[in-house]
Amino acid sequence: MEKTTKIIFPFDQSVVKELPMIDKSDIEKVLQTAHNLFEDQANWIPAYKRIEILEKAAFIMNDKSEELIHIAISEGGKPYKDSKAEILRAIKGVKLAAEHISQIKGEQIPMGLTEASLNRIAFTSKEPIGIVAAVSAFNHPLNLAVHQVVTAIAAGCPVIFKPASATPLSGLALADILKEAGLPSGWLQVVLCDNETSELLVTDPRVHFLSFIGSAKVGWYLKSKLAPGTRCALEHGGAAPVIVESDADFSEMIPDLVKGGFYHAGQVCVSVQKVYVNQEICDRFIEKLSEATKKLIVGNPFDKTTDVGSLISPKEVNRVEEWVNEAVAEGAKIITGGKRISDTTFQPTILFNPSEDSKVSTHEIFGPVVCIYPFTNRNEAIKKANALEVHFQAAVFTKNLDIALETAKKLNATAVMINDNTAFRVDWMPFGGRDASGLGMGGISYTINEMTREKLTVFKSKSL
């Protein structure tokens, strides 16, 4: 009997669609299709054609933007205004990928610098790395697909895409759009499968590159199982620490932190989570942040006024509730929120001074919870901010240039935002975690470069 997966609207748990899943016996055909395409250099998609396909895809996506917004909301539960922003970002991402194709190039390597290297000219060129296997996460179903699939196509690689089982519809819609835009058959295969089948796929020696977005536990496990020579990029999560100094501008900072903490109900890998606030302004900070947080509208993500929608599943609501209750039992004070609204939604919550040993302090919450910790010594606060093994994006709010630069230097992060929240991202910047938070850098152009490999050609001639 064929296995299926049900796509559920997270807000009311209604079934959106039921789709067939492949099993282990289907993986060989998928891999062989991609392998045959890559082995046949005569049929590689030339650069001009890849540009044409992606430009047309961006045009079609723009045309179907409302439909894509509807799909993303129905499977992921992200509110309308944020889903709309995601779809616009995804379209821009496709355009960025098309533009970057012209920058896939090598360089001349000087020869004749020694007697042994006379009569030679040498240059490098970039080639597609090979088959890309991409495993994705649920929280940005279309934009992540663009970052993993469209980049592979731009680099000239056949790609096998496994979307998150909860949110495959956006990836399937993107595949249809790319096909309509002229992508030849087999260059993108979308597979829905269980974890065991997924592992079989990514660890096959025919796979040249794994792009993984998801939990650190799964990412590092899969990396340990990869075939020799398979390169990978892993993007996990973090705890996004923020340092707030006493001279911070409240009018700029409060809306920024509310957005960064509660956007998509905190289900973002760089969502504001741990805020270390100078004791001198802590009371005022709590009052203002709480005031702004209480104004957030929690509700149906299809409603255009909704600020915070549902979590991806009731199981996640249960987990967030457990973690908040544990933090309170261990000494944290609830400033606002702290309770479930329904089986699928949780109040935007601010906790004051939870124990550094509570789960909300030591793990990525991935829910609508922000923790505030007062400090008197900034270096101590930075030390606590750096204490976990996850390091992704961080932030500091201050108008003092020296403090801003010193804090940015000392925070262990791949990116530090000054007077902006930790969740800031544009798709042409490098983006990724360090240490346990990941490997390699995302961002459209950075990913395309990682999906290519360099070849050196040395030409020997008496005429040179």
Side-chain angles (χ1 to χ4, degrees):
M1 189 178 151
E2 190 178 53
K3 277 178 76 176
T4 61
T5 181
K6 284 180 180 171
I7 319 307
I8 307 289
F9 177 38
F11 182 70
D12 66 9
Q13 296 294 288
S14 57
V15 177
V16 178
K17 208 165 192 177
E18 191 166 357
L19 294 169
M21 294 170 77
I22 67 166
D23 60 28
K24 290 180 184 177
S25 61
D26 301 306
I27 286 292
E28 179 55 33
K29 188 185 172 192
V30 170
L31 282 162
Q32 200 55 49
T33 298
H35 180 71
N36 291 344
L37 286 172
F38 185 65
E39 288 297 298
D40 182 12
Q41 282 200 21
N43 280 317
W44 282 7
I45 309 170
Y48 82 90
K49 193 73 186 161
R50 301 199 303 269
I51 293 169
E52 276 177 17
I53 292 164
L54 295 186
E55 283 178 344
K56 190 170 180 189
F59 179 80
I60 298 167
M61 286 169 79
N62 196 55
D63 230 27
K64 295 184 172 180
S65 58
E66 276 302 320
E67 187 186 322
L68 292 169
I69 292 166
H70 190 278
I71 291 167
I73 297 170
S74 68
E75 64 180 349
K78 189 191 294 177
Y80 180 89
K81 52 182 129 179
D82 295 328
S83 288
K84 182 177 181 178
E86 178 187 340
I87 272 64
L88 294 175
R89 265 183 73 186
I91 294 166
K92 176 66 176 169
V94 176
K95 290 176 180 174
L96 285 168
E99 288 163 9
H100 188 73
I101 292 170
S102 66
Q103 301 305 308
I104 302 172
K105 60 185 189 292
E107 61 179 1
Q108 186 176 343
I109 307 297
M111 289 287 142
L113 305 179
T114 60
E115 194 177 345
S117 63
L118 285 170
N119 305 122
R120 288 167 178 85
I121 189 168
F123 57 90
T124 61
S125 54
K126 294 281 187 74
E127 297 181 338
I129 193 170
I131 297 171
V132 171
V135 177
S136 204
F138 76 83
N139 52 344
H140 311 292
L142 186 64
N143 202 46
L144 295 183
V146 166
H147 275 264
Q148 295 177 284
V149 167
V150 171
T151 47
I153 291 161
C157 300
V159 55
I160 303 162
F161 180 59
K162 185 212 168 288
S165 54
T167 56
L169 302 177
S170 295
L172 288 164
L174 179 64
D176 288 342
I177 287 167
L178 287 163
K179 186 180 177 184
E180 191 184 332
L183 183 69
S185 177
W187 283 87
L188 167 58
Q189 299 176 83
V190 182
V191 297
L192 306 184
C193 58
D194 61 24
N195 291 343
E196 211 179 321
T197 308
S198 177
E199 183 181 335
L200 193 69
L201 165 70
V202 304
T203 57
D204 190 280
R206 286 167 288 188
V207 169
H208 298 85
F209 190 89
L210 166 65
S211 167
F212 175 86
I213 301 173
S215 78
K217 184 182 174 185
V218 176
W220 293 120
Y221 170 77
L222 288 176
K223 180 182 180 290
S224 74
K225 298 287 182 182
L226 294 179
T230 301
R231 282 175 21 196
C232 69
L234 310 175
E235 188 189 300
H236 306 142
V242 180
I243 307 290
V244 176
E245 260 303 348
S246 54
D247 63 343
D249 183 327
F250 274 72
S251 63
E252 292 175 4
M253 170 176 64
I254 297 299
D256 256 0
L257 290 178
V258 169
K259 186 68 180 173
F262 301 112
Y263 162 68
H264 198 11
Q267 298 170 115
V268 180
C269 56
V270 285
S271 178
V272 170
Q273 179 174 326
K274 303 178 79 175
V275 187
Y276 295 89
V277 184
N278 189 308
Q279 182 75 60
E280 292 171 23
I281 58 160
C282 203
D283 288 348
R284 184 175 166 223
F285 179 87
I286 289 166
E287 181 195 331
K288 295 293 179 190
L289 189 70
S290 172
E291 211 174 87
T293 301
K294 284 173 182 170
K295 288 178 184 168
L296 294 172
I297 298 166
V298 183
N300 190 324
F302 277 106
D303 187 331
K304 292 183 183 181
T305 62
T306 295
D307 298 305
V308 180
S310 41
L311 272 77
I312 192 66
S313 70
K315 189 177 80 174
E316 289 302 295
V317 176
N318 294 342
R319 178 188 59 78
V320 170
E321 184 178 52
E322 280 169 24
W323 286 18
V324 168
N325 290 343
E326 176 201 80
V328 171
E330 292 171 355
K333 183 184 172 190
I334 293 175
I335 302 298
T336 187
K339 292 193 165 37
R340 68 168 62 223
I341 298 169
S342 67
D343 285 346
T344 62
T345 54
F346 198 86
Q347 291 176 329
T349 298
I350 300 170
L351 295 178
F352 179 66
N353 215 9
S355 159
E356 290 285 352
D357 298 323
S358 292
K359 284 194 186 75
V360 294
S361 297
T362 57
H363 293 63
E364 182 181 24
I365 298 172
F366 228 62
V369 181
V370 172
C371 303
I372 298 169
Y373 309 81
F375 73 82
T376 50
N377 180 314
R378 188 173 61 257
N379 282 323
E380 283 300 310
I382 293 169
K383 198 174 167 185
K384 286 176 182 175
N386 290 340
L388 304 182
E389 58 179 17
V390 287
H391 305 112
F392 207 137
Q393 296 199 161
V396 54
F397 284 83
T398 178
K399 292 299 178 183
N400 183 310
L401 183 63
D402 291 336
I403 289 173
L405 293 173
E406 182 198 19
T407 306
K409 185 182 173 186
K410 288 180 177 177
L411 280 168
N412 186 1
T414 45
V416 179
M417 309 303 153
I418 296 170
N419 297 320
D420 204 348
N421 70 56
T422 57
F424 173 76
R425 181 186 187 184
V426 288
D427 297 307
W428 55 90
M429 78 187 209
F431 181 84
R434 56 166 68 166
D435 303 324
S437 284
L439 190 66
M441 295 304 281
I444 297 291
S445 60
Y446 297 87
T447 300
I448 293 170
N449 288 338
E450 287 214 330
M451 290 176 177
T452 63
R453 52 185 174 186
E454 215 160 34
K455 178 176 277 181
L456 174 68
T457 304
V458 184
F459 203 114
K460 183 182 178 186
S461 168
K462 287 175 185 171
S463 303
L464 291 166

mmCIF file of all heavy atoms in Angstrom, residues 203-235:
data_model
loop_
_atom_site.group_PDB
_atom_site.id
_atom_site.type_symbol
_atom_site.label_atom_id
_atom_site.label_comp_id
_atom_site.label_asym_id
_atom_site.label_seq_id
_atom_site.Cartn_x
_atom_site.Cartn_y
_atom_site.Cartn_z
ATOM 1 N N THR A 203 23.167 10.088 1.435
ATOM 2 C CA THR A 203 24.445 9.415 1.701
ATOM 3 C C THR A 203 24.941 8.590 0.507
ATOM 4 O O THR A 203 25.995 7.974 0.575
ATOM 5 C CB THR A 203 24.330 8.502 2.939
ATOM 6 O OG1 THR A 203 23.272 7.560 2.729
ATOM 7 C CG2 THR A 203 24.040 9.307 4.194
ATOM 8 N N ASP A 204 24.198 8.611 -0.592
ATOM 9 C CA ASP A 204 24.620 7.872 -1.787
ATOM 10 C C ASP A 204 25.880 8.519 -2.378
ATOM 11 O O ASP A 204 25.973 9.745 -2.448
ATOM 12 C CB ASP A 204 23.491 7.881 -2.825
ATOM 13 C CG ASP A 204 23.774 6.944 -3.982
ATOM 14 O OD1 ASP A 204 24.543 7.335 -4.890
ATOM 15 O OD2 ASP A 204 23.245 5.819 -3.970
ATOM 16 N N PRO A 205 26.864 7.706 -2.803
ATOM 17 C CA PRO A 205 28.113 8.274 -3.335
ATOM 18 C C PRO A 205 27.940 9.093 -4.615
ATOM 19 O O PRO A 205 28.818 9.877 -4.973
ATOM 20 C CB PRO A 205 28.999 7.047 -3.593
ATOM 21 C CG PRO A 205 28.110 5.858 -3.483
ATOM 22 C CD PRO A 205 26.928 6.244 -2.667
ATOM 23 N N ARG A 206 26.799 8.965 -5.283
ATOM 24 C CA ARG A 206 26.568 9.776 -6.491
ATOM 25 C C ARG A 206 26.203 11.220 -6.160
ATOM 26 O O ARG A 206 26.225 12.092 -7.035
ATOM 27 C CB ARG A 206 25.463 9.130 -7.347
ATOM 28 C CG ARG A 206 25.917 7.891 -8.085
ATOM 29 C CD ARG A 206 24.745 7.105 -8.650
ATOM 30 N NE ARG A 206 23.981 6.439 -7.603
ATOM 31 C CZ ARG A 206 23.001 5.567 -7.800
ATOM 32 N NH1 ARG A 206 22.655 5.256 -9.046
ATOM 33 N NH2 ARG A 206 22.365 4.995 -6.793
ATOM 34 N N VAL A 207 25.855 11.488 -4.901
ATOM 35 C CA VAL A 207 25.531 12.859 -4.482
ATOM 36 C C VAL A 207 26.835 13.608 -4.215
ATOM 37 O O VAL A 207 27.689 13.140 -3.471
ATOM 38 C CB VAL A 207 24.625 12.858 -3.223
ATOM 39 C CG1 VAL A 207 24.504 14.253 -2.640
ATOM 40 C CG2 VAL A 207 23.242 12.303 -3.571
ATOM 41 N N HIS A 208 26.985 14.769 -4.841
ATOM 42 C CA HIS A 208 28.218 15.550 -4.697
ATOM 43 C C HIS A 208 28.112 16.634 -3.627
ATOM 44 O O HIS A 208 29.115 17.084 -3.096
ATOM 45 C CB HIS A 208 28.577 16.217 -6.026
ATOM 46 C CG HIS A 208 28.844 15.241 -7.136
ATOM 47 N ND1 HIS A 208 27.840 14.700 -7.906
ATOM 48 C CD2 HIS A 208 30.001 14.709 -7.589
ATOM 49 C CE1 HIS A 208 28.368 13.877 -8.803
ATOM 50 N NE2 HIS A 208 29.675 13.855 -8.632
ATOM 51 N N PHE A 209 26.866 17.091 -3.367
ATOM 52 C CA PHE A 209 26.696 18.202 -2.426
ATOM 53 C C PHE A 209 25.384 18.043 -1.680
ATOM 54 O O PHE A 209 24.337 17.819 -2.291
ATOM 55 C CB PHE A 209 26.696 19.535 -3.192
ATOM 56 C CG PHE A 209 26.779 20.755 -2.301
ATOM 57 C CD1 PHE A 209 28.008 21.277 -1.917
ATOM 58 C CD2 PHE A 209 25.627 21.384 -1.848
ATOM 59 C CE1 PHE A 209 28.085 22.402 -1.101
ATOM 60 C CE2 PHE A 209 25.693 22.507 -1.029
ATOM 61 C CZ PHE A 209 26.932 23.025 -0.659
ATOM 62 N N LEU A 210 25.448 18.162 -0.342
ATOM 63 C CA LEU A 210 24.244 18.158 0.489
ATOM 64 C C LEU A 210 24.003 19.569 1.006
ATOM 65 O O LEU A 210 24.875 20.163 1.635
ATOM 66 C CB LEU A 210 24.402 17.200 1.675
ATOM 67 C CG LEU A 210 23.349 17.356 2.799
ATOM 68 C CD1 LEU A 210 21.944 17.005 2.309
ATOM 69 C CD2 LEU A 210 23.706 16.513 4.017
ATOM 70 N N SER A 211 22.816 20.082 0.737
ATOM 71 C CA SER A 211 22.376 21.348 1.331
ATOM 72 C C SER A 211 21.308 20.990 2.358
ATOM 73 O O SER A 211 20.255 20.458 2.000
ATOM 74 C CB SER A 211 21.796 22.253 0.240
ATOM 75 O OG SER A 211 21.101 23.332 0.835
ATOM 76 N N PHE A 212 21.591 21.277 3.634
ATOM 77 C CA PHE A 212 20.668 20.873 4.699
ATOM 78 C C PHE A 212 20.270 22.076 5.543
ATOM 79 O O PHE A 212 21.130 22.821 6.022
ATOM 80 C CB PHE A 212 21.315 19.808 5.597
ATOM 81 C CG PHE A 212 20.456 19.443 6.791
ATOM 82 C CD1 PHE A 212 19.472 18.466 6.680
ATOM 83 C CD2 PHE A 212 20.612 20.091 8.014
ATOM 84 C CE1 PHE A 212 18.654 18.147 7.770
ATOM 85 C CE2 PHE A 212 19.802 19.781 9.106
ATOM 86 C CZ PHE A 212 18.824 18.800 8.977
ATOM 87 N N ILE A 213 18.972 22.268 5.744
ATOM 88 C CA ILE A 213 18.459 23.288 6.665
ATOM 89 C C ILE A 213 17.526 22.579 7.635
ATOM 90 O O ILE A 213 16.546 21.948 7.223
ATOM 91 C CB ILE A 213 17.718 24.419 5.915
ATOM 92 C CG1 ILE A 213 18.656 25.103 4.903
ATOM 93 C CG2 ILE A 213 17.177 25.450 6.896
ATOM 94 C CD1 ILE A 213 17.984 26.125 4.005
ATOM 95 N N GLY A 214 17.848 22.649 8.919
ATOM 96 C CA GLY A 214 17.036 21.943 9.910
ATOM 97 C C GLY A 214 17.766 21.842 11.235
ATOM 98 O O GLY A 214 18.656 22.643 11.529
ATOM 99 N N SER A 215 17.419 20.843 12.021
ATOM 100 C CA SER A 215 17.977 20.727 13.372
ATOM 101 C C SER A 215 19.440 20.294 13.349
ATOM 102 O O SER A 215 19.870 19.552 12.465
ATOM 103 C CB SER A 215 17.162 19.729 14.197
ATOM 104 O OG SER A 215 17.519 18.403 13.847
ATOM 105 N N ALA A 216 20.180 20.765 14.339
ATOM 106 C CA ALA A 216 21.613 20.429 14.448
ATOM 107 C C ALA A 216 21.796 18.922 14.608
ATOM 108 O O ALA A 216 22.700 18.334 14.016
ATOM 109 C CB ALA A 216 22.219 21.166 15.641
ATOM 110 N N LYS A 217 20.931 18.303 15.381
ATOM 111 C CA LYS A 217 21.038 16.866 15.634
ATOM 112 C C LYS A 217 21.013 16.083 14.317
ATOM 113 O O LYS A 217 21.865 15.224 14.060
ATOM 114 C CB LYS A 217 19.881 16.420 16.541
ATOM 115 C CG LYS A 217 19.937 14.965 16.963
ATOM 116 C CD LYS A 217 18.730 14.598 17.821
ATOM 117 C CE LYS A 217 18.706 13.103 18.114
ATOM 118 N NZ LYS A 217 17.481 12.706 18.836
ATOM 119 N N VAL A 218 20.036 16.402 13.453
ATOM 120 C CA VAL A 218 19.907 15.696 12.176
ATOM 121 C C VAL A 218 21.031 16.099 11.229
ATOM 122 O O VAL A 218 21.633 15.253 10.552
ATOM 123 C CB VAL A 218 18.519 15.978 11.532
ATOM 124 C CG1 VAL A 218 18.410 15.320 10.165
ATOM 125 C CG2 VAL A 218 17.402 15.478 12.447
ATOM 126 N N GLY A 219 21.346 17.393 11.176
ATOM 127 C CA GLY A 219 22.379 17.883 10.257
ATOM 128 C C GLY A 219 23.736 17.258 10.490
ATOM 129 O O GLY A 219 24.370 16.750 9.556
ATOM 130 N N TRP A 220 24.185 17.264 11.737
ATOM 131 C CA TRP A 220 25.510 16.687 12.037
ATOM 132 C C TRP A 220 25.502 15.171 11.846
ATOM 133 O O TRP A 220 26.501 14.590 11.421
ATOM 134 C CB TRP A 220 25.954 17.045 13.465
ATOM 135 C CG TRP A 220 26.215 18.519 13.644
ATOM 136 C CD1 TRP A 220 25.587 19.368 14.502
ATOM 137 C CD2 TRP A 220 27.162 19.326 12.925
ATOM 138 N NE1 TRP A 220 26.068 20.639 14.364
ATOM 139 C CE2 TRP A 220 27.039 20.653 13.417
ATOM 140 C CE3 TRP A 220 28.090 19.071 11.918
ATOM 141 C CZ2 TRP A 220 27.816 21.715 12.929
ATOM 142 C CZ3 TRP A 220 28.862 20.127 11.433
ATOM 143 C CH2 TRP A 220 28.730 21.417 11.935
ATOM 144 N N TYR A 221 24.357 14.549 12.129
ATOM 145 C CA TYR A 221 24.256 13.095 11.904
ATOM 146 C C TYR A 221 24.430 12.784 10.423
ATOM 147 O O TYR A 221 25.209 11.904 10.045
ATOM 148 C CB TYR A 221 22.907 12.572 12.420
ATOM 149 C CG TYR A 221 22.632 11.137 12.008
ATOM 150 C CD1 TYR A 221 23.260 10.077 12.670
ATOM 151 C CD2 TYR A 221 21.786 10.842 10.940
ATOM 152 C CE1 TYR A 221 23.048 8.756 12.274
ATOM 153 C CE2 TYR A 221 21.566 9.535 10.538
ATOM 154 C CZ TYR A 221 22.198 8.493 11.212
ATOM 155 O OH TYR A 221 21.995 7.191 10.806
ATOM 156 N N LEU A 222 23.691 13.494 9.572
ATOM 157 C CA LEU A 222 23.788 13.230 8.131
ATOM 158 C C LEU A 222 25.197 13.504 7.614
ATOM 159 O O LEU A 222 25.718 12.754 6.789
ATOM 160 C CB LEU A 222 22.771 14.083 7.361
ATOM 161 C CG LEU A 222 21.304 13.675 7.501
ATOM 162 C CD1 LEU A 222 20.399 14.653 6.767
ATOM 163 C CD2 LEU A 222 21.059 12.246 6.993
ATOM 164 N N LYS A 223 25.822 14.564 8.119
ATOM 165 C CA LYS A 223 27.203 14.873 7.692
ATOM 166 C C LYS A 223 28.130 13.704 8.005
ATOM 167 O O LYS A 223 28.998 13.339 7.209
ATOM 168 C CB LYS A 223 27.710 16.140 8.384
ATOM 169 C CG LYS A 223 29.148 16.509 7.982
ATOM 170 C CD LYS A 223 29.630 17.745 8.718
ATOM 171 C CE LYS A 223 31.060 18.082 8.308
ATOM 172 N NZ LYS A 223 32.062 17.118 8.800
ATOM 173 N N SER A 224 27.927 13.087 9.161
ATOM 174 C CA SER A 224 28.797 11.970 9.570
ATOM 175 C C SER A 224 28.610 10.743 8.676
ATOM 176 O O SER A 224 29.457 9.853 8.649
ATOM 177 C CB SER A 224 28.522 11.594 11.036
ATOM 178 O OG SER A 224 27.287 10.891 11.154
ATOM 179 N N LYS A 225 27.494 10.694 7.953
ATOM 180 C CA LYS A 225 27.179 9.530 7.120
ATOM 181 C C LYS A 225 27.456 9.762 5.627
ATOM 182 O O LYS A 225 27.246 8.855 4.816
ATOM 183 C CB LYS A 225 25.693 9.150 7.286
ATOM 184 C CG LYS A 225 25.301 8.752 8.699
ATOM 185 C CD LYS A 225 25.848 7.388 9.052
ATOM 186 C CE LYS A 225 25.437 6.938 10.445
ATOM 187 N NZ LYS A 225 26.005 5.636 10.796
ATOM 188 N N LEU A 226 27.877 10.962 5.258
ATOM 189 C CA LEU A 226 28.072 11.274 3.842
ATOM 190 C C LEU A 226 29.179 10.428 3.226
ATOM 191 O O LEU A 226 30.150 10.052 3.893
ATOM 192 C CB LEU A 226 28.418 12.756 3.652
ATOM 193 C CG LEU A 226 27.331 13.773 3.994
ATOM 194 C CD1 LEU A 226 27.847 15.187 3.770
ATOM 195 C CD2 LEU A 226 26.059 13.528 3.193
ATOM 196 N N ALA A 227 29.029 10.158 1.932
ATOM 197 C CA ALA A 227 30.054 9.406 1.201
ATOM 198 C C ALA A 227 31.324 10.250 1.110
ATOM 199 O O ALA A 227 31.247 11.482 1.101
ATOM 200 C CB ALA A 227 29.537 9.069 -0.199
ATOM 201 N N PRO A 228 32.496 9.607 1.044
ATOM 202 C CA PRO A 228 33.755 10.368 0.905
ATOM 203 C C PRO A 228 33.687 11.298 -0.306
ATOM 204 O O PRO A 228 33.267 10.895 -1.390
ATOM 205 C CB PRO A 228 34.804 9.267 0.690
ATOM 206 C CG PRO A 228 34.207 8.045 1.303
ATOM 207 C CD PRO A 228 32.734 8.159 1.094
ATOM 208 N N GLY A 229 34.062 12.553 -0.079
ATOM 209 C CA GLY A 229 34.073 13.521 -1.184
ATOM 210 C C GLY A 229 32.819 14.347 -1.312
ATOM 211 O O GLY A 229 32.821 15.379 -1.988
ATOM 212 N N THR A 230 31.727 13.920 -0.677
ATOM 213 C CA THR A 230 30.500 14.730 -0.740
ATOM 214 C C THR A 230 30.682 15.967 0.131
ATOM 215 O O THR A 230 30.977 15.856 1.315
ATOM 216 C CB THR A 230 29.266 13.932 -0.243
ATOM 217 O OG1 THR A 230 29.103 12.768 -1.047
ATOM 218 C CG2 THR A 230 28.000 14.772 -0.335
ATOM 219 N N ARG A 231 30.538 17.134 -0.490
ATOM 220 C CA ARG A 231 30.638 18.381 0.276
ATOM 221 C C ARG A 231 29.261 18.733 0.830
ATOM 222 O O ARG A 231 28.243 18.224 0.362
ATOM 223 C CB ARG A 231 31.163 19.509 -0.619
ATOM 224 C CG ARG A 231 32.665 19.367 -0.794
ATOM 225 C CD ARG A 231 33.349 20.312 -1.741
ATOM 226 N NE ARG A 231 32.699 21.547 -2.075
ATOM 227 C CZ ARG A 231 33.075 22.288 -3.121
ATOM 228 N NH1 ARG A 231 34.066 21.910 -3.897
ATOM 229 N NH2 ARG A 231 32.455 23.432 -3.389
ATOM 230 N N CYS A 232 29.223 19.610 1.829
ATOM 231 C CA CYS A 232 27.910 19.949 2.393
ATOM 232 C C CYS A 232 27.874 21.356 2.962
ATOM 233 O O CYS A 232 28.915 21.945 3.289
ATOM 234 C CB CYS A 232 27.494 18.944 3.468
ATOM 235 S SG CYS A 232 28.470 19.014 4.968
ATOM 236 N N ALA A 233 26.673 21.872 3.062
ATOM 237 C CA ALA A 233 26.394 23.119 3.780
ATOM 238 C C ALA A 233 25.259 22.816 4.743
ATOM 239 O O ALA A 233 24.233 22.255 4.344
ATOM 240 C CB ALA A 233 25.989 24.214 2.804
ATOM 241 N N LEU A 234 25.460 23.137 6.012
ATOM 242 C CA LEU A 234 24.453 22.863 7.039
ATOM 243 C C LEU A 234 24.011 24.175 7.668
ATOM 244 O O LEU A 234 24.855 24.999 8.037
ATOM 245 C CB LEU A 234 25.029 21.959 8.141
ATOM 246 C CG LEU A 234 25.762 20.675 7.713
ATOM 247 C CD1 LEU A 234 26.359 19.991 8.935
ATOM 248 C CD2 LEU A 234 24.810 19.729 6.983
ATOM 249 N N GLU A 235 22.702 24.364 7.782
ATOM 250 C CA GLU A 235 22.198 25.553 8.476
ATOM 251 C C GLU A 235 21.268 25.113 9.593
ATOM 252 O O GLU A 235 20.213 24.550 9.347
ATOM 253 C CB GLU A 235 21.460 26.474 7.493
ATOM 254 C CG GLU A 235 21.079 27.800 8.116
ATOM 255 C CD GLU A 235 20.172 28.613 7.207
ATOM 256 O OE1 GLU A 235 20.596 28.934 6.075
ATOM 257 O OE2 GLU A 235 19.036 28.900 7.624
#
